[in-house]
Amino acid sequence: MDFVRSHILVCGGTGCTASKSPLLIEEFGKQLKAAGLEREVMVIQTGCFGLCELGPVVVVYPEGAFYSRITPADVETIVSEHILKGRIVARLLYHETVSHDSVNSLNDTNFYKKQLRIALRNCGVINPENIDEYIAMDGYQALAKALTEQTPDEVIQIMIDSGLRGRGGAGFPTGRKWQYAKSYKGDQKYVLCNADEGDPGAFMDRSILEGDPHSVIEAMIIAGYAIGASQGYIYVRAEYPIAVQRLEKAIGQAREYGLLGQNIFGTGFGFDLSIRLGAGAFVCGEETALIASIEGCRGEPRPRPPFPAERGLFGRPTMNNNVETYANIPWILINGTEAFAAIGTENSKGTKVFALGGKIVNTGLVEVPMGTTLREVIEEIGGGCPGGKKFKAAQTGGPSGGCIPAEHIDKPIDYESLSAIGSMMGSGGLIVMDEDNCMVDMARYFLDFTVDESCGKCTPCRIGTRRLHQMLDKFTEGRATLEDIDMMEELCAHISKNSLCALGQTASNPVLSTLRYFRDEYEAHVRDRKCPARVCKSLLQYLIIDKCRGCTACKRVCPTDAISGEVKKLHVIDQEKCVKCGACMETCKFAAIIKE
Amino acid sequence: MKSLEELRAIREKAREQMTLRKEDGPQSTRVIVGMATCGIAAGARPVLAAAVEQVSRRKLENVSVTQTGCIGVCRLEPIVEVLAPGEEKVTYVKMTPEMMEKVIAEHIVNNRVVKEYTIGAEEPGPAAN
Ligand SMILES: Cc1cc2nc3c(=O)[nH]c(=O)nc-3n(C[C@H](O)[C@H](O)[C@H](O)COP(=O)(O)O)c2cc1C
């Protein structure tokens, strides 16, 4: 028998895969073979570690050395130095893990030390394509316990007591949802998993499916047992090919082990799962549209009630939860409701995963206890805004959410306190903006998205969002009047009140919240015809000031020949011809070109 | 999966394979094998393999086997250091796989330092350690 002495973990999340981590695995294979080490060192592809900014990521155990931004050329060095000779290659380590020549644990770095990983507990730890590794981490123990020791009502009671709320956006208590679904009788019931994840900038659910697919599968079987369903569907967007492939593999392995199928653990209970691919429409994340899409109909929502618990997929009682909601469930059943309820705040228990994006140093995936402040997430874990820029606001909840301005940066993140300040928890996208972002432009960006994604079934959403978008255009182009602000508020109220589903009902939120906190910015676009953040092109001029040495560099890059001037003399920009592309400003070595 | 025992058996087996990936706790003992060019040339690789094998065979929890570079006394390679919590570092020299087995059995399991293999036995005197 061979005794493996070292494990090399290579991140196989979407981010690291895009930066060529599969090549690293291949190269490790080659180099280990060349060194005759292939039998004593194991190379394992894992899910996302969270620090996507530093990908591709490689971790070598037992030392726990965390290598970042590894190229195939670095692989040979790691094998010949670290693996063969035991000398950790300091220059390739994530700099935060190195201090005074000694290697610190990853868990002590700023990025990880405030995190608490429940939903992501196995991501970056196990090989998601090997069910045994999931089982080693107590996987399928919760299912075994539920099936052999607990009644469906007891399982539901545990979910209620834990205080778990849906992570898909609305925050509905999971235990209560299960209870409703159980209370309706039907010849066939269904359990669904919403893995549509349409919120731009969000990738929590994708990372869970890629890094720990069995946690979702296990929880869905438990849900089936609790509500009396024997069939489940995972609705996942086709744009997540790695997640889909790992899910397929995981379902296959679970079937092979008899964890899916008939008579699980000899209890007589049977459950099976299928995957349904979505085509990437945001509205298909809304549960009634999702159900329609699985049925093969157009992905359009319908009024509720009846709620899916009563009449859902194929007209049968149906229970739908989000990926991250499911990922918490086996942990709760194993560790107990008290352990879970001890984390978080009064009405928001447990943790939340956020996808950090935008103007932030550590772009990536983080999981923190509910009640952590935005400051801790952005400054301590996220490393703040790059280039020392000032934090301006963060958008949570994506196109349905609102912005949180700098003045609220010390607010704890939980369902209630985010709603109180006009934002929402949402599914976990967290986009950071700095002083260079225009809030009017930001609101316009999200409206752009909702206009595209409105399914068109109801008029308030189909026409209303388009009108709202046009009004925002008036602001960014300097054509708005102050009355437009009032009209816009009226239109927002109208869209929210009359839309059929939450897509339309929440579409105005980015406008309303930016109006609430950055009204002066809207007014500046009207009154001064200026964009304070210097983003809106129509309100900007590029000017050459007297620092100009007449080097002619700008003149040469200008695509519209808008710049004139002789060598060694001050140049000028013809505002009529200028298309405000900014190429001149980037080229100028003397900071002689400004925009205002 | 027909029974809980089956699940348990898979878990135990898979766990063994994954112990390498545990973060060292404060209570863990580390067996460190010098694996620089000098160590490898002197035969450190089979020593390392023996250490890994023994720890795994005996299902020793809280013991990790790692490697290090050149410790500086190349003529005494293969060198193995044992770092146990709350104890002084013990340095074994001129190790063979058989000696490694004995160190695991005596020192790690029974907590008795194998004096005759240590650097002190090989090179008496204050300069030795
Ligand atoms: C436009 C729109 C998009 C949505 N997208 C998602 C999504 O991508 N993933 C998700 O889990 N829930 C999404 N939801 C919320 C779902 O309708 C539903 O509330 C959720 O899946 C319930 O799961 P939970 O209770 O576990 O959170 C969306 C809702 C709307 C209105």
Side-chain angles (χ1 to χ4, degrees):
Chain A
M1 179 179 170
D2 290 329
F3 288 92
V4 173
R5 65 172 170 86
S6 186
H7 287 182
I8 301 176
L9 273 54
V10 181
C11 178
T14 291
C16 287
T17 299
S19 45
K20 308 229 159 55
S21 70
L23 276 185
L24 298 182
I25 295 180
E26 207 178 289
E27 188 64 22
F28 269 118
K30 246 189 260 166
Q31 293 292 339
L32 287 172
K33 195 146 194 216
L37 294 167
E38 75 270 26
R39 295 168 71 130
E40 52 191 271
V41 179
M42 209 156 94
V43 182
I44 299 134
Q45 184 174 39
T46 70
C48 181
F49 283 84
L51 252 179
C52 309
E53 184 67 28
L54 295 175
V57 162
V58 171
V59 182
V60 180
Y61 285 102
E63 293 85 359
F66 191 92
Y67 292 113
S68 61
R69 293 207 173 125
I70 296 305
T71 65
D74 296 328
V75 168
E76 193 196 338
T77 317
I78 293 176
V79 170
S80 66
E81 285 294 302
H82 185 157
I83 305 294
L84 196 61
K85 297 178 190 156
R87 287 193 291 239
I88 292 176
V89 189
R91 74 177 163 88
L92 297 176
L93 291 173
Y94 170 35
H95 63 89
E96 273 227 24
T97 62
V98 187
S99 66
H100 311 297
D101 273 1
S102 72
V103 180
N104 301 334
S105 164
L106 193 58
N107 293 329
D108 295 332
T109 61
N110 283 334
F111 185 75
Y112 284 104
K113 80 181 163 205
K114 287 227 160 159
Q115 292 198 46
L116 177 63
R117 302 192 139 214
I118 294 179
L120 299 177
R121 62 194 176 279
N122 291 326
C123 289
V125 177
I126 64 168
N127 176 354
E129 300 193 358
N130 182 347
I131 188 172
D132 288 358
E133 294 207 353
Y134 178 66
I135 292 174
M137 307 304 282
D138 291 332
Y140 291 107
Q141 293 289 322
L143 175 68
K145 193 166 154 192
L147 255 48
T148 59
E149 295 170 23
Q150 293 159 337
T151 64
D153 284 321
E154 281 168 351
V155 173
I156 291 173
Q157 194 57 46
I158 292 172
M159 297 319 301
I160 292 174
D161 293 343
S162 73
L164 177 66
R165 296 170 64 172
R167 303 298 194 233
F172 193 82
T174 305
R176 279 204 2 241
K177 195 186 258 188
W178 290 23
Q179 207 169 31
Y180 291 140
K182 175 163 190 282
S183 71
Y184 289 99
K185 303 277 167 277
D187 54 342
Q188 171 74 59
K189 292 179 165 188
Y190 296 104
V191 169
L192 306 182
C193 172
N194 189 341
D196 189 58
E197 197 165 54
D199 176 358
F203 52 94
M204 306 75 51
D205 296 346
R206 184 190 75 204
S207 298
I208 292 171
L209 293 177
E210 287 174 358
D212 196 17
H214 285 287
S215 66
V216 175
I217 295 172
E218 181 180 6
M220 289 183 76
I221 309 170
I222 295 169
Y225 173 69
I227 71 157
S230 59
Q231 175 65 40
Y233 291 96
I234 302 175
Y235 187 84
V236 54
R237 53 177 52 221
E239 288 132 311
Y240 283 179
I242 301 177
V244 172
Q245 177 227 324
R246 298 219 175 119
L247 262 178
E248 278 170 350
K249 207 162 203 170
I251 290 174
Q253 290 174 345
R255 279 204 193 112
E256 224 166 82
Y257 273 14
L259 293 162
L260 283 173
Q262 296 304 312
N263 199 18
I264 301 168
F265 289 117
T267 57
F269 172 71
F271 188 85
D272 211 345
L273 266 183
S274 309
I275 299 173
R276 286 292 177 273
L277 298 186
F282 181 51
V283 75
C284 286
E286 195 282 335
E287 60 185 14
T288 60
L290 182 147
I291 287 170
S293 178
I294 294 179
E295 289 172 348
C297 305
R298 276 180 82 122
E300 287 179 344
R302 61 155 176 82
R304 295 175 302 181
F307 284 91
E310 185 184 350
R311 206 161 350 122
L313 185 62
F314 304 119
R316 306 299 199 292
T318 299
M319 205 288 298
N320 159 51
N321 275 136
N322 162 265
V323 171
E324 185 186 335
T325 312
Y326 281 125
N328 279 290
I329 289 169
W331 190 97
I332 295 172
L333 288 173
I334 289 175
N335 295 279
T337 52
E338 288 90 40
F340 189 77
I343 305 160
T345 61
E346 177 76 33
N347 293 311
S348 305
K349 299 300 185 191
T351 59
K352 180 76 195 87
V353 182
F354 289 99
L356 294 184
K359 304 284 184 65
I360 186 129
V361 172
N362 295 327
T363 307
L365 204 63
V366 308
E367 180 172 356
V368 291
M370 296 273 190
T372 304
T373 65
L374 194 59
R375 186 189 297 281
E376 289 170 295
V377 173
I378 291 173
E379 293 183 356
E380 295 178 35
I381 300 173
C385 302
K389 295 273 183 179
K390 221 169 93 202
F391 168 74
K392 184 170 184 178
Q395 176 86 5
T396 59
S400 317
C403 66
I404 308 168
E407 67 200 81
H408 287 315
I409 194 171
D410 288 311
K411 279 266 169 1
I413 302 174
D414 67 16
Y415 292 99
E416 278 70 29
S417 59
L418 288 186
S419 317
I421 56 174
S423 182
M424 64 185 270
M425 179 74 82
S427 60
L430 204 159
I431 298 168
V432 179
M433 286 160 283
D434 69 9
E435 52 191 296
D436 293 339
N437 287 98
C438 166
M439 301 312 280
V440 183
D441 181 65
M442 200 276 300
R444 192 175 151 275
Y445 166 80
F446 281 114
L447 253 297
D448 220 24
F449 180 81
T450 29
V451 167
D452 272 356
E453 296 293 339
S454 170
C455 75
K457 184 170 177 176
C458 74
T459 319
C461 177
R462 181 183 69 245
I463 311 274
T465 55
R466 192 168 289 267
R467 286 280 171 267
L468 191 55
H469 187 260
Q470 286 167 348
M471 295 179 87
L472 287 166
D473 275 344
K474 280 176 82 177
F475 282 87
T476 58
E477 289 165 11
R479 295 183 285 115
T481 62
L482 286 176
E483 287 73 57
D484 282 324
I485 296 184
D486 300 333
M487 272 172 61
M488 219 160 56
E489 280 180 324
E490 200 186 319
L491 180 58
C492 285
H494 187 78
I495 298 172
S496 310
K497 220 167 98 194
N498 297 299
S499 291
L500 171 59
C501 82
L503 192 154
Q505 288 158 13
T506 59
S508 328
N509 284 350
V511 179
L512 289 172
S513 76
T514 46
L515 271 173
R516 174 168 170 182
Y517 294 110
F518 298 96
R519 199 181 190 93
D520 52 336
E521 234 172 275
Y522 280 86
E523 287 171 358
H525 281 72
V526 178
R527 206 177 282 138
D528 316 329
R529 300 275 178 249
K530 283 248 155 24
C531 172
R534 299 188 179 90
V535 171
C536 299
K537 278 190 184 170
S538 311
L539 302 178
L540 280 181
Q541 278 194 334
Y542 283 84
L543 296 171
I544 300 179
I545 56 172
D546 58 10
K547 283 187 188 163
C548 174
R549 305 262 189 93
C551 76
T552 76
C554 58
K555 192 167 147 182
R556 276 176 280 135
V557 302
C558 179
T560 56
D561 291 328
I563 302 180
S564 56
E566 286 168 34
V567 180
K568 297 199 175 152
K569 294 223 172 96
L570 186 72
H571 282 44
V572 284
I573 301 175
D574 179 348
Q575 298 299 333
E576 293 286 303
K577 282 191 189 163
C578 175
V579 292
K580 296 160 188 175
C581 67
C584 52
M585 195 164 163
E586 272 167 36
T587 307
C588 181
K589 289 200 179 71
F590 308 102
I593 302 181
I594 57 165
K595 61 175 178 178
E596 55 165 51
Chain B
M1 194 78 51
K2 290 288 158 255
S3 67
L4 300 182
E5 283 67 52
E6 234 179 293
L7 184 66
R8 201 164 299 135
I10 296 170
R11 180 173 65 166
E12 292 319 310
K13 188 158 167 270
R15 263 201 184 158
E16 249 173 63
Q17 296 220 324
M18 290 183 64
T19 46
L20 274 180
R21 269 177 255 172
K22 267 201 286 212
E23 286 272 330
D24 280 346
Q27 284 313 307
S28 59
T29 298
R30 295 210 294 158
V31 178
I32 305 168
V33 183
M35 286 277 287
T37 310
C38 50
I40 294 172
R45 295 185 41 81
V47 173
L48 177 73
V52 174
E53 178 178 339
Q54 283 300 314
V55 168
S56 166
R57 277 245 163 91
R58 292 167 183 270
K59 301 199 186 350
L60 299 178
E61 297 257 334
N62 285 327
V63 178
S64 70
V65 179
T66 61
Q67 351 163 33
T68 186
C70 181
I71 297 170
V73 259
C74 307
R75 67 206 150 76
L76 298 180
E77 293 280 1
I79 296 177
V80 174
E81 295 176 326
V82 175
L83 278 167
E87 278 168 42
E88 272 201 33
K89 176 173 80 182
V90 178
T91 306
Y92 293 106
V93 299
K94 294 192 177 167
M95 293 291 281
T96 64
E98 295 71 35
M99 290 160 77
M100 191 70 237
E101 271 176 38
K102 187 162 172 195
V103 167
I104 299 279
E106 286 294 306
H107 187 162
I108 309 285
V109 178
N110 296 322
N111 214 0
R112 281 194 300 261
V113 175
V114 191
K115 286 233 176 55
E116 63 270 33
Y117 297 167
T118 61
I119 193 164
E122 176 74 23
E123 306 234 310
N129 216 339

